[in-house]
Amino acid sequence: MSVSSSSSSSSCVFVFTCLLIICLITLHITMCAAKPKNNTRSPRQLSIGYYAKACPQLEQLVGSVTSQQFKEEPVSGPATIRLFFHDCFVEGCDASILISSKPGSKMLAEKDAEDNRDLRGEGFETIRKAKALVESKCPGIVSCADILAIAARDYVHLAGGPYYEVKKGRWDGRRSMASSVASNIPRANFTVDQLLKLFSSKGLTLEDLVVLSGAHTMGFAHCDNFVSRLYDYHGTKQPDPAIDPRLLKALRMSCPHSGGNTDIVAPFDVTTPFLFDHAYYGNLVSKLGLLASDQALFLDPRTKPLVQTLAKDKHNFFQAFAEAMEKMGSIGVKRGRRHGEKRKDCSMHIS
């Protein structure tokens, strides 16, 4: 009797905690509402000291913006990290994600693609502010692509993750097309086979896939990214059996099968949603992954052993993540005026 009561109490506390997190995030969003090419070529001459002479204070300048943004809008962290991922996977790490579509043009830019529709404005705002400050001190020197890479690293560290040196020397890309996005961005219901195929096309390995997925230790997803897991998994009219019943109950209370508040989001990491740590992997082991593509990493025998290893060793995860970010940050790098540009306004091509 006492055991049953204790179990029921524990379940209620878990559900209440999940709902509290979701409600707080939804409130924050409501208040802030105003707001296929082969890219696997190896990088050319990226270096840590690329701006050592031309703009030696670069990292301090960007850091002053990211630290302030993180204090005022903590969601800027996961928003900017996600922005970096979406940039690198489409056309390479060239800041093409930052370009705005031309008014009246039928050709939409990457940021306006359907798969990028829920990228948070705080990420774009971070880069806008950082670029403006850098331009005031080092005009025409630093690319938007390098600023985005530095800002993503800053936020990883500010949230409790590893600090790693960022190699620089990227130029900004001249091409940004919404039509290039869909085939290059992983989806919430991807299988491990689909994920491996996509990552491999970027020159990334199975280990890179599992490690970079650990970025979901921060950030949030809208209901439409996982609602099928809650009610009709793979057309079965039943929930995904690989989701913890407590999490299922909490998510169903916030995300109805149809209708509902489209602003509602849930954290990828239900245990420490605002910290960069290795709890994401422990969550997968405990059937607490939010997206089907996340939970699949624990279910698949090829990726399961690494998930289990990283769940037990934060230091190992941090070291591997830093290395994987450097590798991802080298995808499709542009160099020189023949291949790129250095925009003064990251949202607009140089005319």
Side-chain angles (χ1 to χ4, degrees), residues 11-295:
S11 178
C12 289
V13 171
F14 180 90
V15 171
F16 176 77
T17 301
C18 290
L19 287 173
L20 180 60
I21 290 171
I22 293 171
C23 288
L24 287 173
I25 295 166
T26 303
L27 178 61
H28 175 80
I29 291 176
T30 302
M31 294 175 66
C32 302
K35 323 205 161 194
K37 207 174 158 184
N38 187 350
N39 291 323
T40 61
R41 290 181 301 169
S42 59
R44 290 173 288 175
Q45 301 173 3
L46 292 184
S47 64
I48 293 170
Y50 186 81
Y51 297 107
K53 294 183 179 179
C55 191
Q57 69 272 49
L58 170 60
E59 300 224 8
Q60 288 74 22
L61 293 171
V62 176
S64 68
V65 172
T66 51
S67 60
Q68 187 64 30
Q69 284 287 107
F70 192 68
K71 290 177 184 177
E72 296 177 358
E73 297 282 355
V75 74
S76 298
T80 305
I81 295 168
R82 187 179 180 210
L83 198 60
F84 186 47
F85 276 68
H86 279 233
D87 182 48
C88 290
F89 267 64
V90 183
E91 299 296 339
C93 306
D94 63 355
S96 53
I97 187 68
L98 304 175
I99 295 174
S100 297
S101 300
K102 292 182 180 179
S105 174
K106 295 181 180 179
M107 194 84 75
L108 297 179
E110 286 176 33
K111 68 183 295 185
D112 294 318
E114 182 69 15
D115 291 279
N116 286 333
R117 71 191 187 284
D118 59 352
L119 290 175
R120 300 271 311 190
E122 290 85 352
F124 293 96
E125 184 64 5
T126 289
I127 307 308
R128 186 194 68 77
K129 288 182 176 179
K131 178 61 172 175
L133 181 58
V134 171
E135 281 294 312
S136 72
K137 304 296 182 182
C138 310
I141 300 296
V142 183
S143 68
C144 300
D146 278 339
I147 290 175
L148 178 54
I150 294 168
R153 184 278 316 276
D154 284 355
Y155 281 128
V156 167
H157 186 58
L158 286 166
Y163 180 90
Y164 53 91
E165 297 285 0
V166 174
K167 290 184 177 179
K168 297 167 282 288
R170 303 167 186 82
W171 283 55
D172 300 325
R174 294 196 180 102
R175 169 188 165 102
S176 182
M177 298 176 62
S179 59
S180 300
V181 174
S183 61
N184 287 293
I185 295 296
R187 299 180 181 275
N189 62 350
F190 263 17
T191 64
V192 171
D193 281 335
Q194 291 171 309
L195 289 170
L196 286 172
K197 182 179 179 180
L198 177 59
F199 274 64
S200 178
S201 74
K202 310 301 175 185
L204 300 173
T205 65
L206 180 149
E207 180 177 346
D208 295 324
L209 162 63
V210 177
V211 171
L212 289 171
S213 295
H216 280 179
T217 187
M218 294 172 62
F220 316 94
H222 288 83
C223 292
D224 61 356
N225 287 297
F226 55 84
V227 70
S228 64
R229 294 189 72 203
L230 311 182
Y231 301 96
D232 187 19
Y233 186 62
H234 288 177
T236 61
K237 307 297 183 183
Q238 297 294 323
D240 183 352
I243 186 171
D244 183 280
R246 299 169 300 166
L247 179 60
L248 175 64
K249 181 178 180 180
L251 292 176
R252 277 183 161 183
M253 292 176 72
S254 298
C255 300
H257 195 184
S258 60
N261 186 348
T262 57
D263 285 334
I264 291 179
V265 295
F268 289 119
D269 177 350
V270 298
T271 52
T272 57
F274 299 102
L275 291 178
F276 194 99
D277 56 21
H278 66 315
Y280 164 82
Y281 299 104
N283 291 339
L284 299 187
V285 173
S286 301
K287 300 171 70 172
L288 297 175
L290 183 65
L291 305 183
S293 57
D294 285 329
Q295 194 60 51

Side-chain angles (χ1 to χ4, degrees), residues 128 131 135 144 343-349:
R128 186 194 68 77
K131 178 61 172 175
E135 281 294 312
C144 300
R343 300 180 223 129
K344 292 188 177 183
D345 179 343
C346 293
S347 68
M348 297 175 62
H349 283 300

